[in-house]
Amino acid sequence: MSYTAASNGRATAEWSAYAHLVIGNRVQNEERGIKTSDTGNSMSFDDFMGAIQKGEQLN
C-alpha cells in the first residue's frame, strides 16, 4: 500500500511525524558521535505508516 506525504502541496501530519523521527534520530546520533549511514536499515515512510496502522510503538 502506498501513502501520500503531501496534500495540496503541504506535508501531511504523518509525513511530518516520520521526518521528525528520522531527522531527530540522525541529529541525536551525530551529537553523540555515532556515525549514521545512509545505507543503513532506516524505516521507509510506507513501513512507518504500516507500523502506525498496526498500533506498533515507534521510537
Side-chain angles (χ1 to χ4, degrees), residues 3-35:
Y3 301 94
T4 183
S7 176
N8 297 327
R10 305 187 93 186
T12 61
E14 294 86 354
W15 177 255
S16 296
Y18 171 74
H20 179 80
L21 285 174
V22 170
I23 294 168
N25 283 337
R26 286 184 185 213
V27 169
Q28 287 177 357
N29 285 340
E30 286 180 14
E31 287 178 350
R32 295 177 184 141
I34 301 170
K35 178 115 172 110

Side-chain angles (χ1 to χ4, degrees), residues 17-18 20-22 24-25 28 43 48 51-52 56-59:
Y18 171 74
H20 179 80
L21 285 174
V22 170
N25 283 337
Q28 287 177 357
M43 178 179 272
F48 173 81
I52 293 295
E56 295 176 4
Q57 183 176 354
L58 304 171
N59 58 13

